[in-house]
Amino acid sequence: MAPRFDIDLLMPVPMMPFVMDQLDQAFRVHKPWLAPDRDALLRQVAPDVRAIAAGGGAVLTADLMGRLPRLECVSSFGVGYDSIDATWAGAHGIVVTNTPDVLTEEVADTALALTLMTVRRLPQAERYLRAGSWLDKSFPLTPTLRGRTAGILGLGRIGKAIAHRLAACGLPVHYHGRHRQDDVDLPYHATPVDLAAAVDVLVVVTPGGAGTRHLVDAGVLAALGPDGILINIARGSVVDETALVAALRDGTILGAGLDVFADEPRVPQALLDLDNAVLLPHVGSATTHTRRAMGQLVVDNLLAWAEGRPVLTPVAETPAKG
């Protein structure tokens, strides 16, 4: 059966079956991972490709997009898009979309759970029980969430949802971002160091990319202090992992809860060896419900573009056009 649109679409990496099924029905989809020679396939289809469906793990550089002279639309799976050169795309009239909002609540839930797990040492307590140690004596008393102040580094959609949850737990919430938000009635701090010095739970929610690489460095960790907890559900690149390992080892901070890492899925052995680090395999939005909603938004953005309608969720760097 012929596709609905006379349009060539590149899918650099596999996506969820229901996404691929819908795109196969709508477009001529080129799947390099199935080709005997990926580069040869790309050279063959490059003159005709007008759209890209970018699944998780797809890296779209200016060089790659520049090899596709008819490229008009990139629909990306995920709220973060630091693996796509959206600035270059926008400058060349290519619209890039992501999947915000549909994962906000799920990621915020994960951030709250990770905060509780880290402060109360709940994974360590479960391992203690499974090892049979409870038969000998009770698990040691832990720190508490009570009396703490939380800081949100990056108060966007997800950051605000996390702030709402932490406030419901009785924590005062402060924030830092590129700009003070006039409609936000929370204490603002001009730098990450200032924010860390004012709080003892620091939740990292800022986008990844070159502009935020190692934003949380040794100085921020020192300001967070020996009772401080770092939670990162943003991007691994935002935190200097070497400085974090050192801070956890020497007591500069109390603990860390991490859902993201600099070189996923490879996690440094130095982090794996630390008992005061709670580590999750990037599961912030990883529920069937949310991932299906994200996948459907990838499809819906491409269909809107193909039909000449404005795309639903363009990123800030690119034009919102059909």
Side-chain angles (χ1 to χ4, degrees), residues 150-165:
I152 307 294
L153 186 58
L155 197 70
R157 296 179 181 92
I158 297 172
K160 288 174 181 174
I162 295 169
H164 178 75
R165 284 158 172 76

Side-chain angles (χ1 to χ4, degrees), residues 99-306:
T99 59
D101 297 324
V102 292
L103 51 66
T104 295
E105 301 304 323
E106 213 76 76
V107 176
D109 287 349
T110 303
L112 177 60
L114 189 53
T115 301
L116 289 166
M117 290 165 68
T118 305
V119 173
R120 291 296 314 280
R121 293 177 54 83
L122 298 179
Q124 295 90 329
E126 188 199 28
R127 291 196 294 268
Y128 187 88
L129 179 150
R130 289 181 181 275
S133 301
W134 192 18
L135 297 170
D136 299 324
K137 60 181 178 179
S138 297
F139 186 73
L141 299 178
T142 72
T144 180
L145 207 59
R146 308 282 74 73
R148 289 182 174 272
T149 300
I152 307 294
L153 186 58
L155 197 70
R157 296 179 181 92
I158 297 172
K160 288 174 181 174
I162 295 169
H164 178 75
R165 284 158 172 76
L166 292 171
C169 291
L171 277 67
V173 178
H174 298 212
Y175 77 103
H176 164 76
R178 288 175 294 179
H179 310 287
R180 183 193 299 271
Q181 299 184 35
D182 294 336
D183 59 343
V184 172
D185 187 23
L186 296 174
Y188 173 78
H189 298 269
T191 70
V193 169
D194 291 344
L195 176 64
V199 305
D200 45 31
V201 176
L202 181 63
V203 185
V204 182
V205 204
T206 189
T212 59
R213 185 175 186 274
H214 291 184
L215 186 64
V216 176
D217 57 12
V220 172
L221 296 169
L224 187 57
D227 197 37
I229 297 289
L230 177 74
I231 304 296
N232 187 10
I233 52 102
R235 282 289 188 266
S237 61
V238 180
V239 175
D240 182 339
E241 282 185 353
T242 300
L244 176 59
V245 168
L248 290 166
R249 281 177 174 165
D250 64 21
T252 297
I253 65 173
L254 183 62
L258 310 174
D259 186 43
V260 290
F261 304 90
D263 186 25
E264 296 177 2
R266 288 161 287 276
V267 178
Q269 188 63 44
L271 277 174
L272 295 171
D273 291 341
L274 289 168
D275 185 58
N276 56 344
V278 176
L279 311 174
L280 300 179
H282 203 152
V283 295
S285 64
T287 67
T288 303
H289 169 84
T290 294
R291 290 294 172 86
R292 284 191 65 87
M294 292 166 65
Q296 189 59 52
L297 187 50
V298 169
V299 173
D300 292 344
N301 271 310
L302 285 166
L303 293 178
W305 163 78

